[in-house]
Amino acid sequence: DAGLKIASHFYNKSIKEKGSLQAVITGKILDIEQRKAMVWDIERGQSNAIEPLPWQTDTCIGDWHYNREVYDQKRYKTPQSIIHTLIDVVSKNGNLMLNIPLRGDGTMDELEAKIVEEIGKWMRENGESIYKTRPWKIFGEGPAQQATAALTAQGFNEGKGKSFSVEDVRFVTKGDILFATLMSVPQQGSVLIKSLADNSPHYKQKINKVELVATSAPLQFSRTPEGLKVFFPE
């Protein structure tokens, strides 16, 4: 399949339902009142907070049109950077629209195809933490959110902040399940999620179990006043 669908959870019923045509109009540089009538679109960037209304990031893995120089110089975004964007955007009530520029004959080059395949692999394993989820009380924690870049014009803060690390976590919910996505693989065998500490104002319930999304494997954990410490197998 040559298509890539990275969609969130708020307006993907866009064709026909019960005989009525449903559509979404997006607009850039919208004020608060305009966002009530149109979906706010941020070009090559993203919000730095949970937005009360659905919004959208539109970006591209390279240029908007096919550019042979981008291919020759291998300047496409990495699958990891695209997945990071997706996770961050969804945690803030957003949708990611990703452009894959095609060659003149309508096909992807092999570098693009590899990127699409890698994103698809991650989505097959972790899509439960993306589709049909809702923002939590906070979108995340970690040093990256302390160094975010402000939006300019219609967006353009993409890639201007601090790089994600294992200390950076993004949250979403689905029913009574909380998903916490680590933005890097832990190298020390465990990770501490500070927002889920014992007596946390964000999560006052008892934590009964922690599972790895991709495999549903149960993970050992301990909850202390410092945070929720989750242990990973080798």
mmCIF file of all heavy atoms in Angstrom, residues 67-114:
data_model
loop_
_atom_site.group_PDB
_atom_site.id
_atom_site.type_symbol
_atom_site.label_atom_id
_atom_site.label_comp_id
_atom_site.label_asym_id
_atom_site.label_seq_id
_atom_site.Cartn_x
_atom_site.Cartn_y
_atom_site.Cartn_z
ATOM 1 N N ASN A 67 11.464 16.896 -4.755
ATOM 2 C CA ASN A 67 12.712 17.619 -4.992
ATOM 3 C C ASN A 67 13.847 16.602 -5.046
ATOM 4 O O ASN A 67 14.177 15.975 -4.034
ATOM 5 C CB ASN A 67 12.957 18.637 -3.878
ATOM 6 C CG ASN A 67 14.163 19.513 -4.123
ATOM 7 O OD1 ASN A 67 15.078 19.156 -4.867
ATOM 8 N ND2 ASN A 67 14.170 20.680 -3.500
ATOM 9 N N ARG A 68 14.443 16.456 -6.214
ATOM 10 C CA ARG A 68 15.485 15.446 -6.386
ATOM 11 C C ARG A 68 16.694 15.730 -5.482
ATOM 12 O O ARG A 68 17.375 14.803 -5.035
ATOM 13 C CB ARG A 68 15.924 15.408 -7.850
ATOM 14 C CG ARG A 68 16.990 14.348 -8.161
ATOM 15 C CD ARG A 68 16.480 12.943 -7.879
ATOM 16 N NE ARG A 68 17.532 11.956 -7.999
ATOM 17 C CZ ARG A 68 17.438 10.840 -8.728
ATOM 18 N NH1 ARG A 68 16.324 10.582 -9.385
ATOM 19 N NH2 ARG A 68 18.424 9.990 -8.782
ATOM 20 N N GLU A 69 16.972 16.998 -5.192
ATOM 21 C CA GLU A 69 18.100 17.324 -4.317
ATOM 22 C C GLU A 69 17.894 16.780 -2.908
ATOM 23 O O GLU A 69 18.848 16.337 -2.267
ATOM 24 C CB GLU A 69 18.312 18.838 -4.265
ATOM 25 C CG GLU A 69 18.889 19.425 -5.536
ATOM 26 C CD GLU A 69 19.232 20.890 -5.382
ATOM 27 O OE1 GLU A 69 19.019 21.439 -4.278
ATOM 28 O OE2 GLU A 69 19.706 21.489 -6.363
ATOM 29 N N VAL A 70 16.663 16.831 -2.425
ATOM 30 C CA VAL A 70 16.371 16.273 -1.099
ATOM 31 C C VAL A 70 16.666 14.782 -1.087
ATOM 32 O O VAL A 70 17.232 14.250 -0.126
ATOM 33 C CB VAL A 70 14.904 16.542 -0.701
ATOM 34 C CG1 VAL A 70 14.571 15.885 0.632
ATOM 35 C CG2 VAL A 70 14.643 18.046 -0.615
ATOM 36 N N TYR A 71 16.301 14.108 -2.151
ATOM 37 C CA TYR A 71 16.596 12.674 -2.277
ATOM 38 C C TYR A 71 18.098 12.428 -2.358
ATOM 39 O O TYR A 71 18.653 11.605 -1.620
ATOM 40 C CB TYR A 71 15.899 12.117 -3.519
ATOM 41 C CG TYR A 71 16.347 10.723 -3.901
ATOM 42 C CD1 TYR A 71 15.804 9.609 -3.258
ATOM 43 C CD2 TYR A 71 17.316 10.522 -4.886
ATOM 44 C CE1 TYR A 71 16.223 8.324 -3.602
ATOM 45 C CE2 TYR A 71 17.736 9.248 -5.233
ATOM 46 C CZ TYR A 71 17.179 8.153 -4.580
ATOM 47 O OH TYR A 71 17.604 6.890 -4.917
ATOM 48 N N ASP A 72 18.780 13.141 -3.250
ATOM 49 C CA ASP A 72 20.214 12.927 -3.451
ATOM 50 C C ASP A 72 21.014 13.197 -2.180
ATOM 51 O O ASP A 72 21.992 12.492 -1.880
ATOM 52 C CB ASP A 72 20.733 13.815 -4.578
ATOM 53 C CG ASP A 72 20.217 13.382 -5.946
ATOM 54 O OD1 ASP A 72 19.842 12.198 -6.084
ATOM 55 O OD2 ASP A 72 20.178 14.231 -6.866
ATOM 56 N N GLN A 73 20.609 14.209 -1.420
ATOM 57 C CA GLN A 73 21.333 14.601 -0.211
ATOM 58 C C GLN A 73 20.795 13.909 1.045
ATOM 59 O O GLN A 73 21.266 14.187 2.145
ATOM 60 C CB GLN A 73 21.273 16.118 -0.045
ATOM 61 C CG GLN A 73 21.927 16.874 -1.194
ATOM 62 C CD GLN A 73 21.679 18.375 -1.131
ATOM 63 O OE1 GLN A 73 21.230 18.910 -0.116
ATOM 64 N NE2 GLN A 73 21.962 19.061 -2.237
ATOM 65 N N LYS A 74 19.801 13.037 0.842
ATOM 66 C CA LYS A 74 19.205 12.270 1.950
ATOM 67 C C LYS A 74 18.766 13.193 3.088
ATOM 68 O O LYS A 74 19.111 12.984 4.254
ATOM 69 C CB LYS A 74 20.190 11.214 2.458
ATOM 70 C CG LYS A 74 20.499 10.135 1.419
ATOM 71 C CD LYS A 74 21.459 9.094 1.966
ATOM 72 C CE LYS A 74 21.616 7.917 1.018
ATOM 73 N NZ LYS A 74 22.078 8.292 -0.336
ATOM 74 N N ARG A 75 17.971 14.194 2.736
ATOM 75 C CA ARG A 75 17.522 15.186 3.706
ATOM 76 C C ARG A 75 16.073 14.972 4.149
ATOM 77 O O ARG A 75 15.446 15.869 4.701
ATOM 78 C CB ARG A 75 17.692 16.603 3.154
ATOM 79 C CG ARG A 75 19.148 17.028 3.041
ATOM 80 C CD ARG A 75 19.287 18.523 2.778
ATOM 81 N NE ARG A 75 18.992 18.876 1.400
ATOM 82 C CZ ARG A 75 17.925 19.575 1.002
ATOM 83 N NH1 ARG A 75 17.016 19.986 1.888
ATOM 84 N NH2 ARG A 75 17.749 19.857 -0.283
ATOM 85 N N TYR A 76 15.523 13.788 3.923
ATOM 86 C CA TYR A 76 14.178 13.508 4.419
ATOM 87 C C TYR A 76 14.182 13.431 5.943
ATOM 88 O O TYR A 76 15.195 13.074 6.557
ATOM 89 C CB TYR A 76 13.655 12.182 3.871
ATOM 90 C CG TYR A 76 13.344 12.186 2.394
ATOM 91 C CD1 TYR A 76 13.870 11.204 1.558
ATOM 92 C CD2 TYR A 76 12.524 13.159 1.838
ATOM 93 C CE1 TYR A 76 13.578 11.190 0.199
ATOM 94 C CE2 TYR A 76 12.231 13.153 0.481
ATOM 95 C CZ TYR A 76 12.762 12.176 -0.334
ATOM 96 O OH TYR A 76 12.474 12.173 -1.674
ATOM 97 N N LYS A 77 13.045 13.751 6.547
ATOM 98 C CA LYS A 77 12.897 13.536 7.985
ATOM 99 C C LYS A 77 13.061 12.048 8.296
ATOM 100 O O LYS A 77 12.719 11.186 7.488
ATOM 101 C CB LYS A 77 11.512 14.002 8.465
ATOM 102 C CG LYS A 77 11.306 15.496 8.499
ATOM 103 C CD LYS A 77 9.926 15.798 9.079
ATOM 104 C CE LYS A 77 9.707 17.291 9.267
ATOM 105 N NZ LYS A 77 9.533 17.988 7.985
ATOM 106 N N THR A 78 13.545 11.744 9.476
ATOM 107 C CA THR A 78 13.667 10.347 9.881
ATOM 108 C C THR A 78 12.314 9.837 10.373
ATOM 109 O O THR A 78 11.466 10.618 10.824
ATOM 110 C CB THR A 78 14.685 10.199 11.015
ATOM 111 O OG1 THR A 78 14.192 10.893 12.184
ATOM 112 C CG2 THR A 78 16.040 10.750 10.613
ATOM 113 N N PRO A 79 12.080 8.528 10.310
ATOM 114 C CA PRO A 79 10.845 7.986 10.887
ATOM 115 C C PRO A 79 10.687 8.368 12.358
ATOM 116 O O PRO A 79 9.585 8.677 12.809
ATOM 117 C CB PRO A 79 11.014 6.473 10.710
ATOM 118 C CG PRO A 79 11.925 6.325 9.542
ATOM 119 C CD PRO A 79 12.885 7.487 9.639
ATOM 120 N N GLN A 80 11.788 8.367 13.110
ATOM 121 C CA GLN A 80 11.708 8.708 14.525
ATOM 122 C C GLN A 80 11.205 10.131 14.726
ATOM 123 O O GLN A 80 10.348 10.383 15.585
ATOM 124 C CB GLN A 80 13.068 8.546 15.194
ATOM 125 C CG GLN A 80 13.030 8.822 16.693
ATOM 126 C CD GLN A 80 14.410 8.803 17.325
ATOM 127 O OE1 GLN A 80 15.312 9.513 16.874
ATOM 128 N NE2 GLN A 80 14.583 7.972 18.342
ATOM 129 N N SER A 81 11.706 11.081 13.947
ATOM 130 C CA SER A 81 11.278 12.467 14.127
ATOM 131 C C SER A 81 9.803 12.646 13.772
ATOM 132 O O SER A 81 9.090 13.418 14.417
ATOM 133 C CB SER A 81 12.143 13.405 13.270
ATOM 134 O OG SER A 81 11.898 13.228 11.887
ATOM 135 N N ILE A 82 9.333 11.904 12.763
ATOM 136 C CA ILE A 82 7.920 11.987 12.392
ATOM 137 C C ILE A 82 7.050 11.383 13.484
ATOM 138 O O ILE A 82 6.003 11.935 13.850
ATOM 139 C CB ILE A 82 7.690 11.276 11.048
ATOM 140 C CG1 ILE A 82 8.455 12.009 9.929
ATOM 141 C CG2 ILE A 82 6.195 11.213 10.719
ATOM 142 C CD1 ILE A 82 8.569 11.221 8.645
ATOM 143 N N ILE A 83 7.470 10.246 14.014
ATOM 144 C CA ILE A 83 6.721 9.596 15.093
ATOM 145 C C ILE A 83 6.707 10.484 16.343
ATOM 146 O O ILE A 83 5.688 10.602 17.032
ATOM 147 C CB ILE A 83 7.299 8.204 15.394
ATOM 148 C CG1 ILE A 83 7.037 7.272 14.212
ATOM 149 C CG2 ILE A 83 6.705 7.619 16.672
ATOM 150 C CD1 ILE A 83 7.835 5.992 14.242
ATOM 151 N N HIS A 84 7.832 11.120 16.649
ATOM 152 C CA HIS A 84 7.872 12.062 17.769
ATOM 153 C C HIS A 84 6.837 13.172 17.582
ATOM 154 O O HIS A 84 6.134 13.543 18.527
ATOM 155 C CB HIS A 84 9.261 12.683 17.884
ATOM 156 C CG HIS A 84 10.250 11.823 18.595
ATOM 157 N ND1 HIS A 84 11.606 12.078 18.566
ATOM 158 C CD2 HIS A 84 10.101 10.714 19.359
ATOM 159 C CE1 HIS A 84 12.242 11.168 19.289
ATOM 160 N NE2 HIS A 84 11.341 10.319 19.772
ATOM 161 N N THR A 85 6.767 13.705 16.371
ATOM 162 C CA THR A 85 5.793 14.753 16.087
ATOM 163 C C THR A 85 4.378 14.242 16.298
ATOM 164 O O THR A 85 3.537 14.904 16.916
ATOM 165 C CB THR A 85 5.956 15.271 14.645
ATOM 166 O OG1 THR A 85 7.252 15.855 14.499
ATOM 167 C CG2 THR A 85 4.907 16.322 14.318
ATOM 168 N N LEU A 86 4.096 13.055 15.771
ATOM 169 C CA LEU A 86 2.763 12.462 15.924
ATOM 170 C C LEU A 86 2.386 12.324 17.396
ATOM 171 O O LEU A 86 1.298 12.731 17.817
ATOM 172 C CB LEU A 86 2.723 11.095 15.240
ATOM 173 C CG LEU A 86 1.460 10.268 15.458
ATOM 174 C CD1 LEU A 86 0.265 10.923 14.796
ATOM 175 C CD2 LEU A 86 1.647 8.850 14.944
ATOM 176 N N ILE A 87 3.280 11.744 18.187
ATOM 177 C CA ILE A 87 2.998 11.520 19.610
ATOM 178 C C ILE A 87 2.739 12.838 20.323
ATOM 179 O O ILE A 87 1.789 12.979 21.102
ATOM 180 C CB ILE A 87 4.176 10.768 20.267
ATOM 181 C CG1 ILE A 87 4.317 9.370 19.681
ATOM 182 C CG2 ILE A 87 3.984 10.680 21.780
ATOM 183 C CD1 ILE A 87 5.640 8.704 20.018
ATOM 184 N N ASP A 88 3.590 13.828 20.059
ATOM 185 C CA ASP A 88 3.464 15.123 20.716
ATOM 186 C C ASP A 88 2.176 15.832 20.313
ATOM 187 O O ASP A 88 1.456 16.372 21.152
ATOM 188 C CB ASP A 88 4.680 15.986 20.374
ATOM 189 C CG ASP A 88 4.687 17.306 21.118
ATOM 190 O OD1 ASP A 88 4.827 17.295 22.353
ATOM 191 O OD2 ASP A 88 4.546 18.363 20.471
ATOM 192 N N VAL A 89 1.855 15.808 19.026
ATOM 193 C CA VAL A 89 0.656 16.481 18.525
ATOM 194 C C VAL A 89 -0.607 15.861 19.109
ATOM 195 O O VAL A 89 -1.529 16.561 19.562
ATOM 196 C CB VAL A 89 0.640 16.439 16.983
ATOM 197 C CG1 VAL A 89 -0.734 16.795 16.441
ATOM 198 C CG2 VAL A 89 1.693 17.379 16.422
ATOM 199 N N VAL A 90 -0.686 14.543 19.115
ATOM 200 C CA VAL A 90 -1.878 13.867 19.627
ATOM 201 C C VAL A 90 -2.060 14.142 21.125
ATOM 202 O O VAL A 90 -3.187 14.287 21.606
ATOM 203 C CB VAL A 90 -1.798 12.353 19.339
ATOM 204 C CG1 VAL A 90 -2.901 11.593 20.068
ATOM 205 C CG2 VAL A 90 -1.902 12.096 17.846
ATOM 206 N N SER A 91 -0.963 14.248 21.861
ATOM 207 C CA SER A 91 -1.066 14.521 23.301
ATOM 208 C C SER A 91 -1.646 15.898 23.579
ATOM 209 O O SER A 91 -2.080 16.180 24.693
ATOM 210 C CB SER A 91 0.312 14.403 23.962
ATOM 211 O OG SER A 91 1.145 15.513 23.642
ATOM 212 N N LYS A 92 -1.668 16.760 22.561
ATOM 213 C CA LYS A 92 -2.156 18.136 22.719
ATOM 214 C C LYS A 92 -3.465 18.370 21.974
ATOM 215 O O LYS A 92 -3.817 19.500 21.653
ATOM 216 C CB LYS A 92 -1.085 19.111 22.231
ATOM 217 C CG LYS A 92 0.228 19.011 23.010
ATOM 218 C CD LYS A 92 1.341 19.798 22.347
ATOM 219 C CE LYS A 92 2.647 19.647 23.117
ATOM 220 N NZ LYS A 92 3.779 20.299 22.415
ATOM 221 N N ASN A 93 -4.188 17.273 21.682
ATOM 222 C CA ASN A 93 -5.495 17.336 21.029
ATOM 223 C C ASN A 93 -5.390 17.662 19.550
ATOM 224 O O ASN A 93 -6.300 18.248 18.959
ATOM 225 C CB ASN A 93 -6.417 18.357 21.714
ATOM 226 C CG ASN A 93 -7.883 18.089 21.418
ATOM 227 O OD1 ASN A 93 -8.293 16.964 21.136
ATOM 228 N ND2 ASN A 93 -8.699 19.133 21.493
ATOM 229 N N GLY A 94 -4.276 17.279 18.939
ATOM 230 C CA GLY A 94 -4.060 17.600 17.535
ATOM 231 C C GLY A 94 -4.078 16.405 16.614
ATOM 232 O O GLY A 94 -4.106 15.247 17.040
ATOM 233 N N ASN A 95 -4.051 16.698 15.333
ATOM 234 C CA ASN A 95 -4.033 15.716 14.254
ATOM 235 C C ASN A 95 -2.807 15.987 13.388
ATOM 236 O O ASN A 95 -2.431 17.146 13.194
ATOM 237 C CB ASN A 95 -5.305 15.873 13.406
ATOM 238 C CG ASN A 95 -5.356 14.893 12.242
ATOM 239 O OD1 ASN A 95 -5.597 13.711 12.429
ATOM 240 N ND2 ASN A 95 -5.159 15.389 11.036
ATOM 241 N N LEU A 96 -2.164 14.958 12.905
ATOM 242 C CA LEU A 96 -1.007 15.124 12.032
ATOM 243 C C LEU A 96 -1.374 14.785 10.592
ATOM 244 O O LEU A 96 -1.817 13.671 10.307
ATOM 245 C CB LEU A 96 0.153 14.228 12.489
ATOM 246 C CG LEU A 96 1.369 14.204 11.561
ATOM 247 C CD1 LEU A 96 1.997 15.586 11.427
ATOM 248 C CD2 LEU A 96 2.405 13.193 12.051
ATOM 249 N N MET A 97 -1.197 15.752 9.695
ATOM 250 C CA MET A 97 -1.339 15.504 8.268
ATOM 251 C C MET A 97 0.065 15.539 7.665
ATOM 252 O O MET A 97 0.754 16.559 7.710
ATOM 253 C CB MET A 97 -2.224 16.557 7.603
ATOM 254 C CG MET A 97 -2.415 16.300 6.116
ATOM 255 S SD MET A 97 -3.628 17.405 5.344
ATOM 256 C CE MET A 97 -2.779 18.972 5.465
ATOM 257 N N LEU A 98 0.505 14.405 7.132
ATOM 258 C CA LEU A 98 1.872 14.256 6.666
ATOM 259 C C LEU A 98 1.916 14.100 5.147
ATOM 260 O O LEU A 98 1.247 13.229 4.592
ATOM 261 C CB LEU A 98 2.520 13.034 7.327
ATOM 262 C CG LEU A 98 3.973 12.752 6.986
ATOM 263 C CD1 LEU A 98 4.878 13.864 7.497
ATOM 264 C CD2 LEU A 98 4.409 11.409 7.557
ATOM 265 N N ASN A 99 2.704 14.943 4.504
ATOM 266 C CA ASN A 99 2.826 14.911 3.061
ATOM 267 C C ASN A 99 4.020 14.056 2.639
ATOM 268 O O ASN A 99 5.127 14.220 3.148
ATOM 269 C CB ASN A 99 3.008 16.343 2.526
ATOM 270 C CG ASN A 99 3.170 16.373 1.012
ATOM 271 O OD1 ASN A 99 2.401 15.770 0.279
ATOM 272 N ND2 ASN A 99 4.182 17.076 0.544
ATOM 273 N N ILE A 100 3.764 13.131 1.712
ATOM 274 C CA ILE A 100 4.818 12.327 1.093
ATOM 275 C C ILE A 100 4.877 12.748 -0.377
ATOM 276 O O ILE A 100 4.038 12.342 -1.175
ATOM 277 C CB ILE A 100 4.528 10.808 1.193
ATOM 278 C CG1 ILE A 100 4.180 10.391 2.623
ATOM 279 C CG2 ILE A 100 5.709 10.019 0.648
ATOM 280 C CD1 ILE A 100 5.309 10.517 3.599
ATOM 281 N N PRO A 101 5.842 13.589 -0.763
ATOM 282 C CA PRO A 101 5.883 14.054 -2.161
ATOM 283 C C PRO A 101 6.202 12.909 -3.121
ATOM 284 O O PRO A 101 7.061 12.073 -2.835
ATOM 285 C CB PRO A 101 6.998 15.105 -2.152
ATOM 286 C CG PRO A 101 7.867 14.727 -0.993
ATOM 287 C CD PRO A 101 6.960 14.126 0.029
ATOM 288 N N LEU A 102 5.514 12.871 -4.234
ATOM 289 C CA LEU A 102 5.668 11.788 -5.210
ATOM 290 C C LEU A 102 6.404 12.274 -6.452
ATOM 291 O O LEU A 102 6.332 13.449 -6.820
ATOM 292 C CB LEU A 102 4.297 11.233 -5.606
ATOM 293 C CG LEU A 102 3.425 10.707 -4.465
ATOM 294 C CD1 LEU A 102 2.086 10.220 -5.017
ATOM 295 C CD2 LEU A 102 4.136 9.614 -3.693
ATOM 296 N N ARG A 103 7.079 11.331 -7.077
ATOM 297 C CA ARG A 103 7.753 11.637 -8.335
ATOM 298 C C ARG A 103 6.735 11.912 -9.446
ATOM 299 O O ARG A 103 5.535 11.713 -9.263
ATOM 300 C CB ARG A 103 8.665 10.467 -8.722
ATOM 301 C CG ARG A 103 9.854 10.308 -7.791
ATOM 302 C CD ARG A 103 10.741 9.140 -8.163
ATOM 303 N NE ARG A 103 10.115 7.857 -7.900
ATOM 304 C CZ ARG A 103 10.780 6.716 -7.751
ATOM 305 N NH1 ARG A 103 12.109 6.717 -7.844
ATOM 306 N NH2 ARG A 103 10.151 5.587 -7.523
ATOM 307 N N GLY A 104 7.236 12.360 -10.577
ATOM 308 C CA GLY A 104 6.340 12.725 -11.674
ATOM 309 C C GLY A 104 5.452 11.593 -12.147
ATOM 310 O O GLY A 104 4.373 11.831 -12.703
ATOM 311 N N ASP A 105 5.897 10.351 -11.954
ATOM 312 C CA ASP A 105 5.072 9.212 -12.378
ATOM 313 C C ASP A 105 4.140 8.733 -11.274
ATOM 314 O O ASP A 105 3.497 7.687 -11.412
ATOM 315 C CB ASP A 105 5.962 8.061 -12.857
ATOM 316 C CG ASP A 105 6.877 7.518 -11.755
ATOM 317 O OD1 ASP A 105 6.820 8.041 -10.626
ATOM 318 O OD2 ASP A 105 7.647 6.576 -12.035
ATOM 319 N N GLY A 106 4.083 9.491 -10.149
ATOM 320 C CA GLY A 106 3.150 9.156 -9.080
ATOM 321 C C GLY A 106 3.650 8.142 -8.082
ATOM 322 O O GLY A 106 2.875 7.639 -7.270
ATOM 323 N N THR A 107 4.931 7.816 -8.116
ATOM 324 C CA THR A 107 5.479 6.812 -7.204
ATOM 325 C C THR A 107 6.391 7.454 -6.165
ATOM 326 O O THR A 107 6.924 8.550 -6.363
ATOM 327 C CB THR A 107 6.287 5.746 -7.979
ATOM 328 O OG1 THR A 107 7.393 6.384 -8.634
ATOM 329 C CG2 THR A 107 5.415 5.049 -8.993
ATOM 330 N N MET A 108 6.599 6.741 -5.074
ATOM 331 C CA MET A 108 7.565 7.139 -4.060
ATOM 332 C C MET A 108 8.934 6.591 -4.415
ATOM 333 O O MET A 108 9.033 5.520 -5.029
ATOM 334 C CB MET A 108 7.161 6.589 -2.681
ATOM 335 C CG MET A 108 5.947 7.234 -2.061
ATOM 336 S SD MET A 108 5.675 6.645 -0.372
ATOM 337 C CE MET A 108 5.127 4.972 -0.679
ATOM 338 N N ASP A 109 9.983 7.303 -4.013
ATOM 339 C CA ASP A 109 11.309 6.722 -4.171
ATOM 340 C C ASP A 109 11.559 5.741 -3.027
ATOM 341 O O ASP A 109 10.771 5.651 -2.077
ATOM 342 C CB ASP A 109 12.389 7.804 -4.251
ATOM 343 C CG ASP A 109 12.504 8.653 -2.992
ATOM 344 O OD1 ASP A 109 12.558 8.091 -1.881
ATOM 345 O OD2 ASP A 109 12.561 9.891 -3.111
ATOM 346 N N GLU A 110 12.668 4.997 -3.101
ATOM 347 C CA GLU A 110 12.898 3.936 -2.113
ATOM 348 C C GLU A 110 13.182 4.489 -0.720
ATOM 349 O O GLU A 110 12.878 3.825 0.287
ATOM 350 C CB GLU A 110 14.043 3.022 -2.566
ATOM 351 C CG GLU A 110 15.447 3.579 -2.423
ATOM 352 C CD GLU A 110 15.848 4.496 -3.564
ATOM 353 O OE1 GLU A 110 14.996 4.786 -4.434
ATOM 354 O OE2 GLU A 110 17.022 4.900 -3.589
ATOM 355 N N LEU A 111 13.734 5.687 -0.620
ATOM 356 C CA LEU A 111 13.971 6.270 0.702
ATOM 357 C C LEU A 111 12.647 6.632 1.372
ATOM 358 O O LEU A 111 12.453 6.400 2.571
ATOM 359 C CB LEU A 111 14.858 7.518 0.576
ATOM 360 C CG LEU A 111 16.258 7.304 -0.015
ATOM 361 C CD1 LEU A 111 17.020 8.627 -0.050
ATOM 362 C CD2 LEU A 111 17.028 6.259 0.790
ATOM 363 N N GLU A 112 11.740 7.208 0.599
ATOM 364 C CA GLU A 112 10.417 7.534 1.128
ATOM 365 C C GLU A 112 9.665 6.271 1.541
ATOM 366 O O GLU A 112 9.024 6.221 2.596
ATOM 367 C CB GLU A 112 9.608 8.293 0.085
ATOM 368 C CG GLU A 112 10.139 9.673 -0.236
ATOM 369 C CD GLU A 112 9.320 10.353 -1.313
ATOM 370 O OE1 GLU A 112 9.099 9.721 -2.373
ATOM 371 O OE2 GLU A 112 8.900 11.491 -1.100
ATOM 372 N N ALA A 113 9.739 5.252 0.681
ATOM 373 C CA ALA A 113 9.050 3.998 0.987
ATOM 374 C C ALA A 113 9.544 3.399 2.296
ATOM 375 O O ALA A 113 8.757 2.877 3.092
ATOM 376 C CB ALA A 113 9.237 3.008 -0.159
ATOM 377 N N LYS A 114 10.847 3.496 2.543
ATOM 378 C CA LYS A 114 11.415 2.967 3.784
ATOM 379 C C LYS A 114 10.885 3.739 4.980
ATOM 380 O O LYS A 114 10.565 3.150 6.025
ATOM 381 C CB LYS A 114 12.945 3.056 3.725
ATOM 382 C CG LYS A 114 13.644 2.510 4.965
ATOM 383 C CD LYS A 114 13.399 1.019 5.148
ATOM 384 C CE LYS A 114 14.202 0.471 6.305
ATOM 385 N NZ LYS A 114 13.901 -0.966 6.557
#
